[in-house]
Amino acid sequence: MSSPIEQRKAEHLELCIQGEVDYREITAGFEKYRFRHCALPELDFAEIDLGVEFLGWRLAAPLLISSMTGGTPQAGEINRRLARVAQQKGIAMGVGSQRVLLEHPEVATTFAIRQEAPTIPLLANLGAVQLNYGCGVQDCQKIIDLLEANALILHLNPLQEAVQSGGDRNFKGLLTKIGVLCRALPVPVIVKEVGNGISADVARQLVDVGVAAIDVAGAGGTSWAKVEAARAQDTRQQYLGDAFAEWGIPTAQCLEQIHTALPNTPLIASGGLKNGIDVAKALALGASLAGLARPFLQAAHQSEETLAQRIDFILEELKTVLFCTGSATPQALYQRRYLERF
Amino acid sequence: MSSPIEQRKAEHLELCIQGEVDYREITAGFEKYRFRHCALPELDFAEIDLGVEFLGWRLAAPLLISSMTGGTPQAGEINRRLARVAQQKGIAMGVGSQRVLLEHPEVATTFAIRQEAPTIPLLANLGAVQLNYGCGVQDCQKIIDLLEANALILHLNPLQEAVQSGGDRNFKGLLTKIGVLCRALPVPVIVKEVGNGISADVARQLVDVGVAAIDVAGAGGTSWAKVEAARAQDTRQQYLGDAFAEWGIPTAQCLEQIHTALPNTPLIASGGLKNGIDVAKALALGASLAGLARPFLQAAHQSEETLAQRIDFILEELKTVLFCTGSATPQALYQRRYLERF
Amino acid sequence: MSSPIEQRKAEHLELCIQGEVDYREITAGFEKYRFRHCALPELDFAEIDLGVEFLGWRLAAPLLISSMTGGTPQAGEINRRLARVAQQKGIAMGVGSQRVLLEHPEVATTFAIRQEAPTIPLLANLGAVQLNYGCGVQDCQKIIDLLEANALILHLNPLQEAVQSGGDRNFKGLLTKIGVLCRALPVPVIVKEVGNGISADVARQLVDVGVAAIDVAGAGGTSWAKVEAARAQDTRQQYLGDAFAEWGIPTAQCLEQIHTALPNTPLIASGGLKNGIDVAKALALGASLAGLARPFLQAAHQSEETLAQRIDFILEELKTVLFCTGSATPQALYQRRYLERF
Amino acid sequence: MSSPIEQRKAEHLELCIQGEVDYREITAGFEKYRFRHCALPELDFAEIDLGVEFLGWRLAAPLLISSMTGGTPQAGEINRRLARVAQQKGIAMGVGSQRVLLEHPEVATTFAIRQEAPTIPLLANLGAVQLNYGCGVQDCQKIIDLLEANALILHLNPLQEAVQSGGDRNFKGLLTKIGVLCRALPVPVIVKEVGNGISADVARQLVDVGVAAIDVAGAGGTSWAKVEAARAQDTRQQYLGDAFAEWGIPTAQCLEQIHTALPNTPLIASGGLKNGIDVAKALALGASLAGLARPFLQAAHQSEETLAQRIDFILEELKTVLFCTGSATPQALYQRRYLERF
Ligand SMILES: Cc1cc2nc3c(=O)[nH]c(=O)nc-3n(C[C@H](O)[C@H](O)[C@H](O)COP(=O)(O)O)c2cc1C
Ligand SMILES: Cc1cc2nc3c(=O)[nH]c(=O)nc-3n(C[C@H](O)[C@H](O)[C@H](O)COP(=O)(O)O)c2cc1C
Ligand SMILES: Cc1cc2nc3c(=O)[nH]c(=O)nc-3n(C[C@H](O)[C@H](O)[C@H](O)COP(=O)(O)O)c2cc1C
Ligand SMILES: Cc1cc2nc3c(=O)[nH]c(=O)nc-3n(C[C@H](O)[C@H](O)[C@H](O)COP(=O)(O)O)c2cc1C
């Protein structure tokens, strides 16, 4: 009844909710940094404002629910919960790859979240490699329209495709096609990985062809090689997934290196962020937004209240970091340079 | 019967006596240093003298019983034991925050220790943030007088206040008010943290407005975020306390950085010191006095004899370090530069 | 019935198949390196070609089944399995020391693998120290002819000989004799260790007298001191083997140092390589071929299919590294310098 | 019946034979070094000669049985076993402190080992601090004569004396008195610690007044603070011994620093050496002799054969290091600079 692609989506959700699919040896790298405590902040905690601008949008806090799901009934329910809480908190939200929509327009409702989240930025999503497998500008426009999205995220996932038996592995000529999209589409194009990280070289190439922002989606959180190993049907995929379970550039390292190379490019930090202190460190390293995927999925799977509280705690932690470093705004975290590597 | 503030004090005592409230990941940092052994000290151990001067006072040894308690009957008994032993050993002693006195003058006897300790320096104590919540110069004068104190200690505790649900979190404009106090009071003003440490920047600001000495009260010993998490009544305080349990600047790092920036400022080392070797390392890093809180509380809770013996052992260890580094006086520990980082 | 040398060979096989004879403290060193992930490889995985040239031979992949065995019936069976799979995969293969042949020509069939592997490079093998114990150019020619070998590998094993009670320990004057061989023989001479590694100094001496390629055979995989300890008949050999169980230069360090000193010398990496990611790192560090011994022995002991699959997975891993670093060929791994030490 | 000093000696022996009295956190430091393996040593193992000269004496190997015992019947038996094996192996031997002899001449037989060891260097021993407690040149001459010693070792042990309740702690003016001894005595004077190490500063002072050689006796092996804690009769000694259990300069660090400062001073390495590889590393770091105490005591306590075998294995290990680094003599270990810090 369900198509292979829907089957895959369902397994991904299941494994990411229950499974042990995080990196074990590689960490996102935030534990190597420590904020210098400011004993005399000269601030009123009550006046601290987490509001930020990103790509022209106004957000109540520098937070993003990262691209995850869609395409199955369970995914639809998750998406609606995520959307309602994102709207309530005034933060941005992405959906999972919408490629399934192009083949199965009947699953459109599982992505139909604009009514739940009328005013926040919603981000469409597609695997960049699909540009080599029949997707064109009009397909992209279609998924943007369907979501009433404020931007399109293209994800790069060469390792995931290499591990998946039968994955789409022709990554030739993608850069040019991404450039074409950037010029043709009426919304900004953001490019992200899915957990193996983007290097400064790749970031520079992308920005040069017109990409508006980079989401590093680095190593240290969800390991997609592990997910694919866990759901493998053949020994090849299992063996290869395990072998590459710890492959990738740690999130903090991506941030440092891209921000040094491209100080003016808007950056999203994701991959292995766990709490508001990690969010604060990501901002201090040059990110403008911080995204979490699996932690929010697990909370939303419980209930909307669990998710709302999880976000509240993250924002309270972020505020506490601002207070205890004497930073009045998220931007000040970066400007004050109170983060020390040790 | 007991006010919220007395209730809080009682819980703090209980948790600090019994609980697991020390830092686990962050250490005070003294284990990174080792004294170079001197096999030929050319000293007579019997002639080594631990006596020091601090802010014009003469002490039998460079030791301080750090600010802890008052306000409840148990606190009163602890304070008297601490005072009697401090007097017997000729070392300095601080009391806990005296703010409670301003609202509940009836608890004054729990701080009344001058009769037990007629000749040693006694140090009054108040949270600096109270200067934003109604405390003025005259209140400070009142608590000094009540204790017949030789100095006033103001503590800075932004993290503790942020974690405590309902904490006092307006830290705006405190620096100016501290400056006013320094000029108005007849005794020196010392500023300390409560276990998250003071940075060189903050120390410099404080010294610039007239503060006489800095007690770094760094990370690595008692973690107040942990204490507040352990006694939390709501999930917010519990969650936040746990998240910030390992926040702060390690004690040894505070000493190094402040002493480098302000070589002439009298420094007190506290936060996670455990024995006389730690005391010796603190002195070698530029401190003039070394303070311990929780270890002395636990000993005093047992008995006066336990406390006296604990102090004796600390001083014997300190003397042994002096002997085995060829240092005739505490000052020589600093001058000989026999401490090596490794 | 079996000679001491055959007895020894049998014990070596047994211990290397079943025993715990790997280094424990020293690693081959590859875990200190990480490839920089390339999210946008601009390659078609399907077009990646692992083919390489080495000493004029064309191989389907930069892989070698390292010198191991011969001389007993079990060894003969292992050799034939290794040969058939090597032929099937188009990779190179070495045999174990052929010294036994010179004393016991009747075991020749255990080395007779050319019919199983008609077109791949086969490598003859002899302990270099035997040049001091009666072996001359003609003996070498004899073992080459018998194998129809494409090259002769001489192994250096001073530690193994020192540990073995009754080992051949006169290593004087070997360099000159190796030089004589290089000039006299019609095939290239390769020199390797057996798991303790070759230093840059020794490599340079060898290349200067005419050696065509160096196989570092470094520390981190099979520890021959451990093997000899495990099969010791006297306390001296047992004690000494254990004492030197962790002696040697880690494989990655050998590669770096020799490749820096002798950038044009063809290098084989062996000693402790476990999978295709290690193979890729070895190539990135300057090796032209990667050799594995014990892992292939254990697989071949199971069955030919197990061995074939093990090799398939290694090559698939290697291809995945090429893909995820944007490298179209094995050589590009080295040229792109995408390996980072951390 | 037995004097306090004899009682103490007996307890020391007992604890060092059975007890857990080694350093746990501090190591001698040799594990931070690794020899570069030489695959082509161009040596005949059979021709390697371990013979060395030290202070004009010819030894069969650069080994010393360090100063340990005397004064009780058990100690006498141990001393005779040590002496017979030292003679058999042609290495040097020290005895324990002979101070007891000055007060109890009747125990002289426990030190009377010259008949067991007619031709090797025997080293007399006295605590340097005794020069402040009544011992003069003539006493030193007496203990030298009694042993027919080839040199006098003075040991410096300020920590041990400080920990021992009732220890001799006046270390004033010792340097001058040591200088007087050096000029007055007909044999060379060697100075050593007892396991806390000698710094470069102290070594230089000693050499300047005429000391012939330094035995670093560094931290990492037997911890005398631990020994004294284990046999403590009062809480002070127990507490202090435990607090200083990990005090001292690691043996390898002493060697490096003294050898850099005083490249021409003959050095003995002791403190925590365990086997012939440690001995080799000590020689490579600039020592001329290597001493072991507790390991030899434990072997001798078993039997003379155990001790003889232990020494044989150490020498065989040392030879194997020489062989596998291409070093023909112990001196070459130092000259070839094949030791790498990592
Ligand atoms: C269940 C699940 C599904 C995901 N699906 C997508 C996807 O369709 N498109 C995408 O760009 N990233 C996808 N991701 C990757 C995330 O957006 C994110 O980059 C990655 O999980 C790292 O973040 P984390 O460590 O917080 O989980 C998915 C992640 C999860 C957990
Ligand atoms: C029970 C207890 C109560 C304390 N109360 C105060 C206080 O009222 N005022 C203050 O300045 N510090 C207070 N402190 C902090 C200590 O003075 C000290 O800075 C901190 O505990 C770190 O030292 P330690 O690691 O030796 O405990 C208190 C500490 C303890 C253990
Ligand atoms: C069973 C066995 C026998 C070996 N015999 C030889 C040999 O005869 N000649 C040789 O040059 N190396 C011999 N080696 C060493 C290997 O070629 C290789 O250098 C070493 O084992 C390190 O590789 P590994 O860690 O992949 O096992 C042997 C290895 C094994 C496991
Ligand atoms: C039982 C015992 C007794 C010792 N007695 C003496 C002594 O009398 N004089 C001395 O100079 N050193 C003495 N030492 C110290 C040793 O000579 C040596 O410096 C120290 O133990 C470190 O070496 P190790 O780690 O090999 O034991 C003694 C050591 C032991 C184990």
Side-chain angles (χ1 to χ4, degrees):
Chain A
M1 214 177 105
S2 64
S3 67
I5 189 168
E6 285 167 285
Q7 173 70 18
R8 186 168 74 218
K9 296 284 155 189
E11 286 172 17
H12 284 169
L13 266 195
E14 183 60 23
L15 281 163
C16 286
I17 289 167
Q18 312 289 356
E20 301 242 317
V21 295
D22 268 14
Y23 282 83
R24 294 224 157 166
E25 292 164 25
I26 293 189
T27 66
F30 296 114
E31 78 288 350
K32 297 193 194 80
Y33 294 88
R34 208 183 274 162
F35 282 105
R36 193 168 353 132
H37 176 66
C38 175
L40 192 61
E42 296 274 321
L43 290 176
D44 186 351
F45 191 99
E47 291 175 4
I48 293 175
D49 179 5
L50 295 180
V52 293
E53 293 234 356
F54 185 75
L55 297 183
W57 317 317
R58 182 84 209 155
L59 298 172
L63 209 61
L64 163 70
I65 297 178
S66 283
S67 319
M68 279 189 285
T69 200
T72 69
Q74 192 196 4
E77 174 59 21
I78 295 278
N79 267 344
R80 284 186 295 276
R81 292 183 187 178
L82 295 172
R84 282 194 290 266
V85 177
Q87 175 69 32
Q88 180 191 322
K89 302 300 173 196
I91 62 176
M93 173 184 165
V95 295
S97 172
Q98 293 169 268
R99 173 187 168 207
V100 61
L101 278 180
L102 302 174
E103 295 169 24
H104 301 274
E106 69 278 12
V107 303
T109 53
T110 66
F111 290 98
I113 56 173
R114 183 47 93 189
Q115 60 263 47
E116 315 287 353
T119 64
I120 59 168
L122 290 179
L123 314 174
N125 190 284
L126 190 74
V129 76
Q130 298 310 320
L131 303 177
N132 274 351
Y133 289 82
C135 278
V137 171
Q138 301 197 335
D139 297 301
C140 292
Q141 188 61 57
K142 202 189 289 179
I143 65 178
I144 292 166
D145 291 347
L146 209 139
L147 195 66
E148 300 173 46
N150 304 72
L152 171 66
I153 295 181
L154 293 174
H155 66 260
L156 295 168
N157 61 343
L159 180 62
Q160 187 182 19
E161 299 290 349
V163 169
Q164 267 181 24
S165 294
D168 295 327
R169 305 185 195 168
N170 181 4
F171 272 67
K172 261 193 188 163
L174 284 185
L175 188 61
T176 310
K177 294 185 182 174
I178 292 171
V180 169
L181 264 193
C182 290
R183 286 188 297 276
L185 291 176
V187 295
V189 173
I190 300 170
V191 174
K192 72 189 283 286
E193 239 282 349
V194 299
N196 300 115
I198 291 186
S199 62
D201 284 358
V202 168
R204 188 192 304 273
Q205 290 177 303
L206 292 166
V207 168
D208 283 352
V209 299
V211 166
I214 304 285
D215 179 346
V216 303
T222 308
S223 164
W224 279 97
K226 259 191 189 166
V227 175
E228 298 299 347
R231 65 178 203 87
Q233 303 288 349
D234 56 85
T235 51
R236 186 204 147 279
Q237 177 165 338
Q238 188 187 328
Y239 194 93
L240 213 63
D242 283 337
F244 285 84
E246 301 289 332
W247 177 275
I249 313 175
T251 301
Q253 193 178 321
C254 292
L255 290 174
E256 284 179 291
Q257 293 181 353
I258 302 181
H259 186 65
T260 302
L262 304 167
N264 299 317
T265 298
L267 283 182
I268 304 175
S270 77
L273 280 70
K274 294 283 170 249
N275 54 41
I277 302 183
D278 286 349
V279 168
K281 289 177 180 175
L283 300 179
L285 288 171
S288 298
L289 233 59
L292 286 80
R294 211 155 85 87
F296 286 156
L297 172 65
Q298 290 172 324
H301 176 71
Q302 297 287 319
S303 71
E304 247 170 87
E305 293 67 43
T306 307
L307 177 62
Q309 200 189 40
R310 179 89 204 232
I311 291 178
D312 283 344
F313 286 162
I314 288 177
L315 298 184
E316 190 76 1
E317 288 165 341
L318 177 55
K319 260 194 201 169
T320 303
V321 173
L322 263 62
F323 186 57
C324 289
T325 57
S327 311
T329 63
Q331 293 74 18
L333 273 180
Y334 172 70
Q335 287 145 4
R336 289 176 66 88
R337 315 212 158 274
Y338 259 38
L339 196 67
E340 294 171 348
R341 192 172 176 129
F342 68 100
Chain B
M1 214 176 106
S2 64
S3 68
I5 191 168
E6 284 167 284
Q7 174 70 19
R8 187 168 73 220
K9 296 283 155 190
E11 287 172 15
H12 284 168
L13 265 195
E14 183 61 23
L15 280 163
C16 286
I17 289 167
Q18 312 289 355
E20 301 243 318
V21 294
D22 267 14
Y23 282 83
R24 294 224 158 167
E25 292 164 25
I26 293 189
T27 66
F30 296 115
E31 78 287 351
K32 297 194 193 80
Y33 293 89
R34 207 183 275 162
F35 281 105
R36 195 170 348 133
H37 176 66
C38 174
L40 192 61
E42 295 275 320
L43 289 176
D44 185 351
F45 191 99
E47 291 176 5
I48 293 175
D49 179 5
L50 296 181
V52 293
E53 294 234 356
F54 185 75
L55 297 182
W57 317 317
R58 182 84 210 155
L59 297 172
L63 210 59
L64 163 70
I65 297 179
S66 284
S67 320
M68 280 190 282
T69 201
T72 68
Q74 192 197 4
E77 173 60 19
I78 295 279
N79 267 344
R80 283 186 295 275
R81 292 183 186 178
L82 295 172
R84 282 194 290 266
V85 177
Q87 175 70 32
Q88 180 191 324
K89 302 300 171 196
I91 63 176
M93 173 184 165
V95 294
S97 172
Q98 293 168 268
R99 175 188 166 205
V100 61
L101 278 180
L102 302 173
E103 295 169 25
H104 301 273
E106 70 276 12
V107 303
T109 53
T110 67
F111 290 98
I113 56 173
R114 182 48 93 188
Q115 61 263 47
E116 315 287 353
T119 63
I120 60 168
L122 290 180
L123 315 174
N125 189 285
L126 190 73
V129 76
Q130 297 311 320
L131 303 177
N132 275 350
Y133 289 83
C135 278
V137 172
Q138 300 196 336
D139 298 301
C140 293
Q141 187 61 56
K142 201 188 290 178
I143 65 178
I144 293 167
D145 291 347
L146 209 140
L147 195 66
E148 300 174 46
N150 303 72
L152 171 66
I153 296 182
L154 294 175
H155 65 260
L156 295 168
N157 60 343
L159 179 63
Q160 187 182 18
E161 299 290 350
V163 169
Q164 267 181 24
S165 293
D168 296 328
R169 304 185 195 168
N170 181 4
F171 272 66
K172 262 193 187 162
L174 284 184
L175 188 61
T176 311
K177 293 184 182 174
I178 293 171
V180 169
L181 265 192
C182 291
R183 287 187 297 277
L185 291 176
V187 295
V189 173
I190 300 170
V191 174
K192 73 189 282 285
E193 239 284 347
V194 299
N196 301 115
I198 292 186
S199 62
D201 284 358
V202 168
R204 189 193 303 273
Q205 290 176 302
L206 292 166
V207 168
D208 283 351
V209 299
V211 165
I214 304 286
D215 178 347
V216 303
T222 308
S223 164
W224 279 97
K226 259 191 188 165
V227 175
E228 297 299 347
R231 64 178 205 87
Q233 303 288 350
D234 55 85
T235 49
R236 186 204 147 279
Q237 178 165 337
Q238 189 187 328
Y239 194 94
L240 213 64
D242 283 337
F244 285 85
E246 301 290 331
W247 177 275
I249 314 175
T251 302
Q253 193 178 321
C254 292
L255 290 174
E256 284 179 292
Q257 294 181 353
I258 303 181
H259 186 64
T260 303
L262 305 167
N264 299 317
T265 298
L267 284 182
I268 304 175
S270 78
L273 279 71
K274 294 284 170 249
N275 53 41
I277 302 183
D278 286 347
V279 168
K281 288 177 181 176
L283 300 179
L285 288 172
S288 299
L289 274 191
L292 286 79
R294 211 156 87 86
F296 286 156
L297 173 65
Q298 290 172 325
H301 175 71
Q302 297 287 319
S303 71
E304 247 170 87
E305 293 68 42
T306 307
L307 177 62
Q309 201 189 41
R310 178 89 203 231
I311 292 179
D312 282 344
F313 285 161
I314 288 176
L315 298 184
E316 190 77 0
E317 288 164 340
L318 177 55
K319 259 194 201 170
T320 303
V321 173
L322 264 62
F323 186 56
C324 289
T325 57
S327 311
T329 63
Q331 293 75 17
L333 274 180
Y334 172 70
Q335 287 145 5
R336 288 176 67 88
R337 315 212 158 275
Y338 258 38
L339 195 66
E340 294 172 349
R341 190 170 179 131
F342 67 100
Chain C
M1 213 175 107
S2 63
S3 68
I5 190 169
E6 284 168 286
Q7 173 70 19
R8 188 168 73 219
K9 296 282 156 192
E11 287 172 16
H12 284 168
L13 265 196
E14 183 61 23
L15 280 163
C16 286
I17 287 168
Q18 312 289 354
E20 301 243 318
V21 295
D22 267 14
Y23 282 83
R24 294 224 159 166
E25 292 164 27
I26 293 189
T27 66
F30 296 115
E31 78 288 350
K32 297 194 194 79
Y33 293 88
R34 208 183 274 162
F35 281 105
R36 194 171 349 135
H37 177 66
C38 174
L40 192 60
E42 296 275 320
L43 290 176
D44 185 351
F45 191 99
E47 291 175 5
I48 294 175
D49 179 5
L50 296 180
V52 293
E53 292 235 357
F54 186 75
L55 297 182
W57 316 317
R58 181 84 211 158
L59 297 172
L63 209 59
L64 163 70
I65 297 177
S66 283
S67 319
M68 281 190 282
T69 199
T72 69
Q74 192 197 5
E77 173 59 21
I78 294 278
N79 267 343
R80 283 186 295 276
R81 292 183 186 177
L82 295 171
R84 282 194 288 266
V85 178
Q87 175 70 32
Q88 179 192 324
K89 302 299 172 195
I91 62 176
M93 173 185 165
V95 295
S97 171
Q98 294 169 268
R99 175 186 167 208
V100 61
L101 278 180
L102 302 173
E103 295 169 24
H104 303 273
E106 70 276 12
V107 302
T109 54
T110 66
F111 289 98
I113 56 172
R114 183 46 94 189
Q115 60 263 48
E116 314 287 353
T119 65
I120 59 167
L122 290 179
L123 314 173
N125 189 285
L126 190 74
V129 75
Q130 298 310 320
L131 303 177
N132 274 351
Y133 289 83
C135 278
V137 172
Q138 300 198 336
D139 297 301
C140 293
Q141 188 61 57
K142 202 190 288 180
I143 65 176
I144 292 166
D145 291 346
L146 208 139
L147 193 67
E148 300 173 47
N150 303 71
L152 171 66
I153 295 181
L154 294 175
H155 65 261
L156 296 168
N157 61 344
L159 179 62
Q160 187 182 19
E161 300 290 348
V163 169
Q164 266 181 24
S165 293
D168 295 328
R169 306 187 195 167
N170 181 5
F171 272 67
K172 262 193 189 164
L174 285 185
L175 189 61
T176 311
K177 293 185 181 172
I178 293 171
V180 169
L181 265 192
C182 291
R183 286 188 297 277
L185 291 176
V187 294
V189 173
I190 300 169
V191 174
K192 72 188 284 285
E193 239 283 348
V194 298
N196 301 115
I198 291 187
S199 62
D201 284 359
V202 168
R204 190 192 303 272
Q205 290 177 303
L206 292 166
V207 168
D208 284 352
V209 299
V211 166
I214 303 287
D215 179 346
V216 303
T222 308
S223 165
W224 280 97
K226 259 191 189 165
V227 175
E228 298 300 348
R231 65 178 204 87
Q233 303 288 349
D234 56 85
T235 50
R236 186 203 148 279
Q237 177 165 337
Q238 188 187 328
Y239 193 93
L240 213 63
D242 283 336
F244 285 84
E246 302 289 331
W247 177 276
I249 314 175
T251 302
Q253 193 178 321
C254 292
L255 290 174
E256 285 177 291
Q257 294 181 352
I258 303 181
H259 186 65
T260 302
L262 305 166
N264 299 318
T265 297
L267 283 183
I268 304 175
S270 77
L273 280 71
K274 294 284 171 248
N275 54 42
I277 303 183
D278 286 349
V279 168
K281 289 177 180 175
L283 300 180
L285 289 172
S288 299
L289 275 192
L292 285 80
R294 211 156 85 87
F296 286 155
L297 172 65
Q298 290 172 326
H301 175 70
Q302 297 288 319
S303 71
E304 247 170 86
E305 292 67 42
T306 307
L307 177 63
Q309 200 189 41
R310 178 91 204 229
I311 291 179
D312 282 343
F313 286 161
I314 288 176
L315 298 184
E316 191 76 0
E317 288 165 340
L318 176 56
K319 260 194 201 166
T320 303
V321 174
L322 263 63
F323 186 56
C324 288
T325 57
S327 311
T329 63
Q331 293 74 19
L333 274 180
Y334 172 68
Q335 287 146 5
R336 289 176 65 88
R337 313 212 160 275
Y338 259 38
L339 196 66
E340 294 171 348
R341 192 172 177 129
F342 68 101
Chain D
M1 213 176 106
S2 64
S3 69
I5 191 168
E6 284 168 285
Q7 173 70 19
R8 187 168 73 218
K9 296 282 156 193
E11 286 172 15
H12 283 168
L13 265 195
E14 182 61 23
L15 280 164
C16 286
I17 288 168
Q18 312 288 355
E20 300 244 316
V21 294
D22 267 13
Y23 282 83
R24 293 224 158 167
E25 292 163 27
I26 293 188
T27 66
F30 296 116
E31 77 288 352
K32 297 195 194 80
Y33 293 88
R34 207 183 275 162
F35 282 105
R36 193 167 354 131
H37 176 66
C38 175
L40 193 60
E42 296 276 319
L43 290 176
D44 185 351
F45 191 99
E47 291 175 5
I48 294 175
D49 180 5
L50 295 180
V52 293
E53 293 236 355
F54 185 75
L55 298 183
W57 316 317
R58 182 83 211 156
L59 297 171
L63 209 60
L64 162 70
I65 297 178
S66 284
S67 319
M68 280 189 283
T69 199
T72 69
Q74 191 197 5
E77 173 59 20
I78 295 278
N79 267 343
R80 284 186 296 275
R81 292 183 186 178
L82 295 171
R84 282 193 290 266
V85 178
Q87 175 70 32
Q88 178 192 325
K89 303 299 172 195
I91 62 176
M93 173 184 165
V95 295
S97 171
Q98 294 169 268
R99 174 187 168 207
V100 60
L101 278 179
L102 302 173
E103 295 168 25
H104 302 273
E106 70 276 13
V107 303
T109 53
T110 67
F111 289 98
I113 57 172
R114 183 47 95 188
Q115 61 263 47
E116 314 288 353
T119 64
I120 60 168
L122 289 180
L123 314 174
N125 189 284
L126 191 73
V129 76
Q130 298 310 321
L131 304 177
N132 275 350
Y133 290 83
C135 278
V137 172
Q138 301 197 336
D139 297 300
C140 292
Q141 188 61 57
K142 202 190 287 179
I143 66 177
I144 292 166
D145 291 347
L146 208 139
L147 194 67
E148 300 174 45
N150 304 71
L152 171 66
I153 294 182
L154 294 175
H155 65 260
L156 295 168
N157 61 344
L159 179 63
Q160 187 182 19
E161 300 290 348
V163 169
Q164 266 181 25
S165 294
D168 295 328
R169 305 186 195 168
N170 181 5
F171 272 66
K172 264 194 187 162
L174 284 185
L175 189 61
T176 310
K177 293 184 181 173
I178 293 171
V180 170
L181 264 193
C182 291
R183 287 187 297 276
L185 291 175
V187 295
V189 172
I190 300 169
V191 174
K192 72 188 283 284
E193 238 284 348
V194 298
N196 301 115
I198 291 186
S199 62
D201 284 358
V202 168
R204 189 191 304 273
Q205 290 176 303
L206 292 166
V207 168
D208 283 351
V209 300
V211 166
I214 303 286
D215 179 346
V216 303
T222 308
S223 165
W224 279 96
K226 259 190 188 165
V227 175
E228 297 299 348
R231 66 178 204 86
Q233 303 288 348
D234 56 85
T235 49
R236 187 204 147 279
Q237 178 165 336
Q238 188 187 327
Y239 193 94
L240 212 63
D242 283 336
F244 285 85
E246 301 290 330
W247 177 277
I249 313 175
T251 301
Q253 192 178 321
C254 292
L255 290 173
E256 285 179 290
Q257 294 180 353
I258 303 182
H259 186 65
T260 302
L262 305 166
N264 299 317
T265 298
L267 283 182
I268 304 176
S270 78
L273 280 72
K274 294 283 170 250
N275 54 42
I277 302 182
D278 286 348
V279 168
K281 289 177 180 175
L283 300 179
L285 289 172
S288 298
L289 275 192
L292 285 80
R294 210 156 86 86
F296 286 156
L297 172 64
Q298 290 172 325
H301 175 71
Q302 297 287 319
S303 71
E304 246 170 87
E305 292 68 42
T306 307
L307 176 62
Q309 200 190 40
R310 178 91 204 229
I311 291 179
D312 282 344
F313 285 160
I314 288 176
L315 298 184
E316 191 76 0
E317 287 165 339
L318 177 55
K319 260 193 200 169
T320 303
V321 174
L322 263 62
F323 186 55
C324 289
T325 56
S327 311
T329 62
Q331 293 74 19
L333 274 180
Y334 172 69
Q335 287 145 4
R336 289 176 66 88
R337 313 212 159 275
Y338 259 37
L339 195 67
E340 294 171 350
R341 192 172 177 129
F342 67 101

